[in-house]
Amino acid sequence: MVNCCGLVTVKNEPVPLKSIAVEVSVQGHVATVSSTLQYENQEQSPLEAIFVFPLPGEAAVCRFSAKIGQTEVVAEVQEKQKAQEQYDDALSSGQQAFLLEESDESPDVFKLSVGSLPPGEKASVSLDYVTELAVQADDGLRLCLPAVLNPRYQPQGSDSGSGGSAQVSSVPAGSVPYSLSLSAHVSSPHPISRVESNCPLDPLNYLNTEKTQATVSLAAGHQFDRDVELLLYYQDTHQPTAIVEAAQASAKPGSLMGDPVVMLSLYPEFPKDVMSSMTSHGEFLFVVDRSGSMECPMHLGSGSLDRISSARETLLLLLKSLPMGCYFNIIGFGSSYESFFPKSVEYSQKTMDEALQKVKEMRADLGGTEILQPLKHIYSQPCLPDQPRQLFLFTDGEVGNTKEVLDLVKTNAGSHRCFSFGIGEGASTALISGVAKQARGHAQFITGQDRMQPKVMQSLRFALQPAVVDISVKWNVPKEVSVTLLSPPIRVVFQGQRALLYAQLTGESSGDTEGSVTVKYSLAKQPVENQLSFSLKPAEDTGMAVHRLGARTLIQSLEVEEREQDGEKEGAKEKVIELSVQSGVSSAFTAFIAVHKGDGEALQGQLLRRHVPTPMLNLRGCSLTGFSSSVLERDMKLSELDDRADQLVCSASEFVVGTKNFDSPAPTSKPVRDPLLQLISLQKASGSWVLEAALAEVLVKTEEEVSKPKPAQVDQEVWATVLALVWLYGFKMEAQEEWQFLAMKAVSWIQAQKVASVSECVQAGNTLLGCQVQKDTLGL
């Protein structure tokens, strides 16, 4: 990460943004977020303020308005170039104008231009977006308000940086001169159990006795040192639901906004016998970000590991958890990439030891974040027969060419599943969620005090689930009603993971008001069927959130289609513009424009430009070793609007380079202090443990104390493996999600030894360690 680029405010210069107020309305799995930004020009000349900010990658911006004095102007959606020209024309004729546009490279970064604000004038800008809430490993629904914008790394020689690259002004989080307030109103068909956050919250306030409605607020004094994350927990969250939203009264029937739209939320349950038969096949490719920003801490609290150390611990856990008979490789990437092995190798004691030695030596020393080349390299390698390819991608997500990466993953989606992990604050949701969605995988975000390991092991559990194939969705509606799917077909289903589908309902039924949908698929060669009935009578007062999310889903599919055609056919782009204008939802080819037609005079002289600084994480001690000067200048090119303006004066902030040295010798394996990690590091690839001094140390015993109680006829390795299992179940149950696969391997190994006296072993192990673990609990 580099923070010394882009425009920064000159000392003593007043910053035009004063405050941001956010109101969130959550209905089940969908949130509508309304932000109001207050600006004030305290200077002697007319001012243009530029503010670059992130939004969740799945968000659909659907309303934008500006208020100057008592006059409110609601923006309209127009084709992007036309909107930019109208903005420029308005400024040159002395009118106030507001332009909101999506970045050309990444759909989760927006730029807001507040133009020609007279001296002493105040302006209030309001922005609404709708977004789906992502489901977490513990069934919580995650709403993230990105309050931190990390600069994105633009690959050298990339042609995508020339267009609307957003200019970012960055200051340390504590120096952000504007405030943030946030309040949320939550309503759900199921009772709300609790709401949690990584930031201090005021107490949850229930509005009814059923606990299906509640309000909650962010405590005052937010520091802008992290994204604001809300986690919502409902009872019975796995129940499938359908919401039918009424058409917009003013829209033409037959158009998307003029017909009802249905949103289906599906949670397929797999048969238990299938879930217990995890596959032992697969080619597991662990692709790890080794750019300079991975030296930064996971969070700003005390005792935080840096990101690369957390990745090293996670790789240890993954390498120990892989099933015998699979293949694997580890690829580190930055400005260049390095593979541990020339091609994937079979998993064995020898290859595992070799990989673990290299993991210990792994450093964040490969420069910037260029993800495209390592992916191209992986896709150029032929897939192995009967070893389904599973890609695990770890990155802090500071990538500028997101759309290019997503297109590459989509082109190769048939060859693999991708499980992606966004590490630390400010990771690009568009990138992390996008690659998982395109490659039929699953995305996870690791922020604040989160531990990476449980989330990664959940994804490994998904990767080891049998693949769901032949998915079909059949709609049963009255014959007068037709269904047009707005979402791409469902290509992936995991146990306990939600799939959302949007569809437009055209025509009206004279009698029958019931509809149903049947989802069929094949799992481990068994046919499975799930059915959900729903009422065709639309729910009123849903604020058009479902329509807009349906429009956003269709727009995203069409944008990908347009990029695949490389603009050769105008069809997809024209459809996107038409749909975006009709639904009022942002897209890559449109922008929001609002012009306040006051009695302004034509502009005399230069319009002052001020870039409002965006909070960046104050990552003291981050090293920039390995960055070339061309990388430092990376993606901070001026946007097209900047090119049309007079030359800007840029003042670079001071940046203290940390003292960490990449050339320091690799630490030996001795300092692993966490006894759980120590025990894991001692396990053999087969799943067994050896009776040795290092094992005794973890069990806080001497070697003699550990050897003595071993039943006479039992092999030393079996005894050591039983002791390790008893210790895990006796002392580390809270971390079971992390070690469950190691334990499964150990149990399989013991069973293969055909030991007669397992009960005696478990009993002797309990006595030695002071535990009461039952043989059945161990799975023996």
Side-chain angles (χ1 to χ4, degrees), residues 517-551:
V517 63
T518 307
V519 181
K520 292 183 182 179
Y521 47 87
S522 174
L523 176 71
K525 300 189 177 164
Q526 294 182 31
V528 183
E529 189 171 304
N530 297 112
Q531 188 171 29
L532 170 68
S533 297
F534 58 91
S535 166
L536 288 170
K537 189 176 184 305
E540 301 296 334
D541 192 30
T542 47
M544 304 309 288
V546 172
H547 276 74
R548 286 176 175 138
L549 284 169

Side-chain angles (χ1 to χ4, degrees), residues 103-109 151-155 158 160-161 165 369-371 397-405 428 431 634-635:
S103 152
D104 287 350
E105 289 82 39
S106 193
D108 62 345
V109 178
R152 300 286 167 78
Y153 180 80
Q154 191 68 47
S158 167
S160 56
S165 219
T369 315
E370 290 202 33
I371 215 163
E398 297 163 17
V399 174
N401 56 341
T402 305
K403 291 179 182 176
E404 219 177 327
V405 174
S428 163
L431 177 79
R634 58 200 174 94
D635 64 331

Side-chain angles (χ1 to χ4, degrees), residues 343-529:
K343 59 181 186 179
S344 295
V345 292
E346 189 169 354
Y347 180 70
S348 66
Q349 187 64 41
K350 180 176 175 292
T351 56
M352 183 190 80
D353 286 344
E354 208 176 315
L356 283 170
Q357 188 52 44
K358 290 181 176 177
V359 166
K360 278 181 203 165
E361 295 159 7
M362 209 166 77
R363 295 285 171 274
D365 54 0
L366 291 181
T369 315
E370 290 202 33
I371 215 163
L372 209 59
Q373 295 312 315
L375 287 177
K376 283 180 177 172
H377 166 72
I378 288 165
Y379 297 142
S380 72
Q381 306 270 324
C383 290
L384 301 167
D386 300 323
Q387 300 286 355
R389 182 171 281 175
Q390 316 275 5
L391 196 67
F392 282 64
L393 173 64
F394 300 87
T395 177
D396 51 18
E398 297 163 17
V399 174
N401 56 341
T402 305
K403 291 179 182 176
E404 219 177 327
V405 174
L406 296 184
D407 291 347
L408 178 69
V409 173
K410 182 174 186 280
T411 307
N412 294 278
S415 68
H416 70 310
R417 289 198 292 194
C418 181
F419 299 89
S420 54
F421 305 90
I423 302 169
E425 308 293 344
S428 163
T429 52
L431 177 79
I432 308 300
S433 302
V435 291
K437 197 171 177 180
Q438 294 297 354
R440 302 166 300 149
H442 181 59
Q444 303 259 27
F445 289 88
I446 299 136
T447 57
Q449 305 273 356
D450 287 353
R451 275 175 60 72
M452 195 186 297
Q453 289 80 351
K455 295 195 173 193
V456 173
M457 297 320 283
Q458 187 205 27
S459 291
L460 181 61
R461 192 163 69 246
F462 287 157
L464 292 171
Q465 278 180 23
V468 173
V469 293
D470 304 328
I471 303 172
S472 70
V473 178
K474 186 168 187 283
W475 297 81
N476 306 299
V477 291
K479 62 178 186 296
E480 304 94 331
V481 178
S482 65
V483 178
T484 308
L485 209 55
L486 303 172
S487 312
I490 301 179
R491 295 184 304 181
V492 62
V493 180
F494 293 117
Q495 165 73 11
Q497 276 301 303
R498 176 199 63 188
L500 285 180
L501 272 182
Y502 298 92
Q504 179 179 344
L505 304 174
T506 306
E508 267 185 66
S509 163
S510 46
D512 199 358
T513 58
E514 279 288 307
S516 72
V517 63
T518 307
V519 181
K520 292 183 182 179
Y521 47 87
S522 174
L523 176 71
K525 300 189 177 164
Q526 294 182 31
V528 183
E529 189 171 304

Side-chain angles (χ1 to χ4, degrees), residues 50-59 61 80 99-112 127 146 148-154 164-169 397-403 426-431 552 556 586-588 590 614 635-636 639:
I50 308 282
F51 183 48
V52 175
F53 56 97
L55 289 180
E58 300 296 303
V61 177
K80 201 179 229 178
L99 181 72
L100 178 73
E101 54 192 321
E102 187 181 294
S103 152
D104 287 350
E105 289 82 39
S106 193
D108 62 345
V109 178
F110 280 75
K111 184 168 92 165
L112 170 62
L127 162 78
V148 174
L149 179 64
N150 284 349
R152 300 286 167 78
Y153 180 80
Q154 191 68 47
S165 219
Q167 176 85 1
V168 184
S169 322
E398 297 163 17
V399 174
N401 56 341
T402 305
K403 291 179 182 176
S428 163
T429 52
L431 177 79
R552 177 71 175 149
Q556 284 174 329
S586 57
S587 78
T590 52
T614 298
D635 64 331
M636 301 307 182
S639 70

